[in-house]
Amino acid sequence: MDGLVTNIALIAGVGGGGVGADDIVLTGTAGLVAGAISMGLGEYTSVRAQNEQLAAEVAKERQELIKHPEAEAAELARVWEARGVPPELALQVASIVGRNPDEAVRVHAQEELGMDPDDSPSPWVAAGSSFVCFSIGALVPLLSYLLGASSLTLSLAAGGAGLFVAGALVARFTRRPWWWSGLRQLLLGAAAAGATFGIGLLFAA
C-alpha cells in the first residue's frame, strides 16, 4: 500500500508538471528504489530496537528474580489475581514458576511486557519483506511507462486499480465489505495523487 500511494502521488506530481515520459520513468524508478530502501532500513531499525529493548527488559527481570524472588512472585500473582485467579492459588503458582529461572523469566516477560523472549521477530525478515512489498506496489503505476506507453492517465488508472485490489484484500482481515475497503483505499490514494498533481500544475504554470 505504501509503495502504491507513494509512487502514484509522485508520478501524478511530476506528470502534472508537464514533464515527458522519460522523466516520469526516472522519477518513478528513483522513488521506488529510495522508498524501498527507506522502508527496509526503517523496519530493520524498528524491529532491531524492539528486540534490544526486550532483551534489556528480560535481563533486568532476570536480575530482579535473583535478588527479590518473593517480591517478583507476588507481582506475578497480582497480575493473575486481576484476571480472576484466587489470591492463594495465584501466589502458589507464581512461587512454583519462580523455581525455574528460565521459565520464570519467560512468564514474567509475557505477563508484564506482553512479549515472548523466545519468539522475537527477525529484523532481516522485516526489512526484506518491507523492501519487496514496497517495490511491488511502487512498480504498478510505472508498468505502463516501462511497457512503452506514455499516458499519465493510463499510469494513474493502473495505480488506482492496484489500490482498489489492495484495499479489497485487506477486507479479508477486517470483515468489512471488500468493495467498501477497496473504494476507501482508492479514494485515499486519489486524494494524495490529486494533491501532488495540483502542486505539479502550479509549478508548470
Side-chain angles (χ1 to χ4, degrees):
M1 205 76 79
D2 288 335
L4 275 165
V5 174
T6 298
N7 240 20
I8 289 171
L10 186 59
I11 289 173
V14 295
V19 303
D22 289 343
D23 291 328
I24 290 178
V25 170
L26 175 60
T27 302
T29 302
L32 184 157
V33 174
I37 292 174
S38 176
M39 289 292 293
L41 290 176
E43 278 298 302
Y44 177 87
T45 302
S46 175
V47 174
R48 183 68 180 267
Q50 176 182 309
N51 288 349
E52 290 173 350
Q53 180 185 14
L54 175 60
E57 292 291 341
V58 167
K60 178 182 177 182
E61 198 67 47
R62 191 181 297 275
Q63 288 299 316
E64 291 295 324
L65 284 166
I66 294 172
K67 294 179 180 179
H68 311 290
E70 294 182 359
E72 289 297 306
E75 184 179 355
L76 185 58
R78 285 194 295 270
V79 173
W80 288 336
E81 286 176 37
R83 298 179 182 177
V85 179
E88 292 184 5
L89 178 59
L91 184 57
Q92 181 182 7
V93 174
S95 299
I96 294 173
V97 169
R99 296 173 187 171
N100 183 336
D102 291 334
E103 182 64 15
V105 168
R106 188 184 67 80
V107 172
H108 275 267
Q110 283 184 317
E111 297 296 339
E112 297 175 23
L113 306 177
M115 300 184 71
D116 186 348
D118 297 328
D119 190 28
S120 300
S122 167
W124 291 107
V125 171
S129 60
S130 293
F131 182 94
V132 171
C133 289
F134 187 97
S135 298
I136 292 173
L139 183 63
V140 172
L142 267 178
L143 275 177
S144 61
Y145 284 103
L146 294 176
L147 293 175
S150 58
S151 169
L152 177 62
T153 301
L154 181 60
S155 172
L156 296 180
L163 284 170
F164 184 86
V165 171
L169 290 174
V170 169
R172 297 179 58 188
F173 307 100
T174 63
R175 296 186 178 180
R176 287 188 174 274
W178 63 269
W179 58 268
W180 166 250
S181 184
L183 183 60
R184 179 179 61 184
Q185 194 58 47
L186 175 60
L187 291 175
L188 292 173
T196 55
F197 185 80
I199 292 173
L201 288 178
L202 289 175
F203 275 88

